[in-house]
């Protein structure tokens, strides 16, 4: 599916697990249906929220294949192909493209981090070998390094670099990144609490954890902004800040999987080193969910 004109709410989908730790494919299909029925504009699998760092290569492909087949071309599917080892990212990308994802998410190298030229070559090694749109993922809080302005300017010119997911939380960085946006290179907010501010700088929407539990609301917020109803979009952003902050009261995706379990969509199961939410975190999350009308 052509995703070059994709805008709006792209959900960073969780990976549901059964109690024995295996992937719960029935729940995964249920989540996909929930998003298709709720107006989600695109689906990202195997990102941070999908706990891909705890999954095997075979599991990654099985999850992506399940989602691609269930979506059946109705919205774009983006697959996470991130790794701190460039050859691993290349291999993951090739496998995901073979099973039919519409785009890829590529992350800066974590732990080893690299120098400026190494980071540039890390991305271009994958960009040169695929023929689908790719999202560059800037999240220094997870990786320990950022995409510099120099590298962003260079990478934005690559024909397969389609967008940046900006998740530093820095308006200053987003303002800098906005200088390189064009019809061929977009920006999506990677932080649910500042979607509207980044859209005011030219972002095309959000790659969202919040959308896991409130897909219709996040879609509507983005759609309102893109239709020119900035005040309406801003109000939805402000009205839901308590829920958004509660979804990040502990490390992602612990709270959002708890929330989805409370909604009856998945089991509350994680893979170590992640564990269930604390009692205080659960209490805060449930209160925010009730306030947002997600629980009775």
């Amino acid at each position: 599916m052509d995703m070059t004109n994709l805008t709006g709410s792209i959900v960073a989908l969780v990976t549901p697990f059964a109690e024995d730790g295996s992937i719960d494919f029935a729940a995964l299909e249920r989540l996909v249906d929930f998003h298709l029925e709720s107006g989600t504009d695109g689906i990202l699998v195997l990102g941070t929220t999908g706990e891909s760092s705890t999954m095997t290569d075979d599991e990654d492909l099985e999850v992506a294949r399940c989602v691609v087949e269930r979506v059946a071309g109705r919205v774009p599917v983006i697959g996470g192909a991130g790794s701190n080892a460039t050859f691993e990212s290349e291999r993951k990308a090739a496998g995901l493209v073979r099973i039919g994802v519409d785009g890829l998410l590529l992350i800066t190298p974590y732990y080893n981090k690299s120098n400026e030229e190494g980071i540039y070559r890390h991305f271009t090694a994958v960009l040169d070998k695929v023929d689908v749109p790719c999202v560059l993922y800037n999240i220094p809080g997870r990786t320990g390094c950022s995409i510099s302005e120099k590298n962003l300017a260079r990478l934005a010119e690559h024909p397969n670099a389609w967008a940046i997911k900006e998740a530093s939380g820095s308006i200053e960085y987003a303002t800098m990144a906005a200088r390189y946006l064009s019809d061929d290179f977009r920006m999506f907010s990677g932080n649910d609490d500042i979607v509207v501010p980044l859209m005011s700088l030219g972002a095309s929407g959000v790659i969202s954890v919040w959308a896991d539990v409130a897909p219709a609301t996040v879609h509507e917020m983005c759609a309102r902004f893109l239709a020119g109803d900035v005040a309406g979009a801003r109000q939805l952003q402000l009205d839901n800040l308590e829920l958004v902050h509660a979804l990040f009261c502990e490390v992602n995706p612990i709270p959002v999987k708890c929330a989805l379990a409370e909604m009856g969509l998945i089991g509350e199961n994680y893979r170590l080193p992640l564990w269930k939410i604390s009692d205080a975190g659960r209490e805060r999350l449930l209160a925010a969910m009730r306030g947002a009308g997600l629980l009775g």
Side-chain angles (χ1 to χ4, degrees):
M1 182 178 186
D2 182 11
M3 60 176 264
T4 54
N5 293 317
L6 175 61
T7 60
S9 174
I10 303 169
V11 64
L13 198 68
V14 304
T15 302
F17 299 124
E19 288 188 8
D20 65 1
S22 62
I23 295 166
D24 185 344
F25 286 101
L28 183 59
E29 292 179 345
R30 191 158 58 243
L31 290 177
V32 170
D33 292 345
F34 175 52
H35 286 285
L36 293 174
E37 293 163 2
S38 302
T40 291
D41 299 291
I43 296 176
L44 167 70
V45 296
L46 307 175
T48 305
T49 311
E51 293 177 82
S52 59
S53 60
T54 67
M55 292 161 56
T56 67
D57 292 342
D58 287 344
E59 288 175 327
D60 283 346
L61 293 177
E62 289 169 3
V63 165
R65 182 179 291 108
C66 175
V67 173
V68 166
E69 291 177 354
R70 193 72 174 185
V71 167
R74 286 173 283 180
V75 298
V77 177
I78 302 170
S83 175
N84 66 324
T86 306
F87 77 92
E88 279 290 301
S89 189
E90 292 178 50
R91 187 179 57 76
K92 287 182 178 182
L96 290 168
V97 170
R98 279 196 299 271
I99 67 165
V101 300
D102 303 294
L104 296 167
L105 181 74
L106 309 177
I107 199 165
T108 49
Y110 45 87
Y111 191 72
N112 46 3
K113 295 167 43 174
S114 188
N115 55 13
E116 283 290 285
E117 186 64 20
I119 290 173
Y120 173 74
R121 289 173 181 264
H122 169 79
F123 281 114
T124 55
V126 183
L127 292 170
D128 287 345
K129 288 181 172 63
V130 299
D131 57 359
V132 298
C134 295
V135 181
L136 314 177
Y137 190 6
N138 187 59
I139 184 167
R142 290 271 185 176
T143 65
C145 61
S146 181
I147 303 173
S148 69
E149 179 173 3
K150 177 182 176 181
N151 273 339
L152 184 61
R154 298 168 77 189
L155 291 166
E157 295 297 320
H158 196 289
N160 290 329
W162 172 73
I164 180 171
K165 178 184 178 183
E166 203 324 82
S168 70
S170 167
I171 296 295
E172 180 181 6
Y173 185 97
T175 302
M176 175 278 294
R179 299 170 61 188
Y180 302 101
L181 303 185
S182 67
D183 290 341
D184 299 318
F185 189 72
R186 300 171 178 243
M187 177 164 62
F188 287 84
S189 176
N191 295 88
D192 281 314
D193 56 348
I194 53 172
V195 180
V196 170
L198 262 62
M199 292 187 77
S200 75
L201 291 169
S204 296
V206 61
I207 299 177
S208 173
V209 175
W210 173 21
D212 273 288
V213 298
T217 301
V218 182
H219 166 79
E220 182 182 359
M221 178 183 66
C222 294
R224 284 190 181 189
F225 190 99
L226 293 168
D229 182 10
V230 176
R234 181 175 62 241
Q235 197 59 52
L236 284 172
Q237 177 86 89
L238 297 175
D239 288 347
N240 285 276
L241 279 180
E242 287 188 22
L243 173 62
V244 169
H245 291 158
L247 287 169
F248 292 91
C249 68
E250 295 186 17
V251 67
N252 180 50
I254 291 172
V256 73
K257 292 190 89 171
C258 174
L260 287 167
E262 292 289 342
M263 294 167 69
L265 289 168
I266 67 170
E268 192 178 347
N269 302 307
Y270 309 84
R271 285 186 174 175
L272 289 171
L274 300 188
W275 191 245
K276 292 185 178 182
I277 195 168
S278 66
D279 290 343
R282 185 183 302 274
E283 183 177 342
R284 177 181 177 183
L285 177 62
L286 295 182
M289 291 176 70
R290 284 190 289 269
L294 298 179
L295 295 177

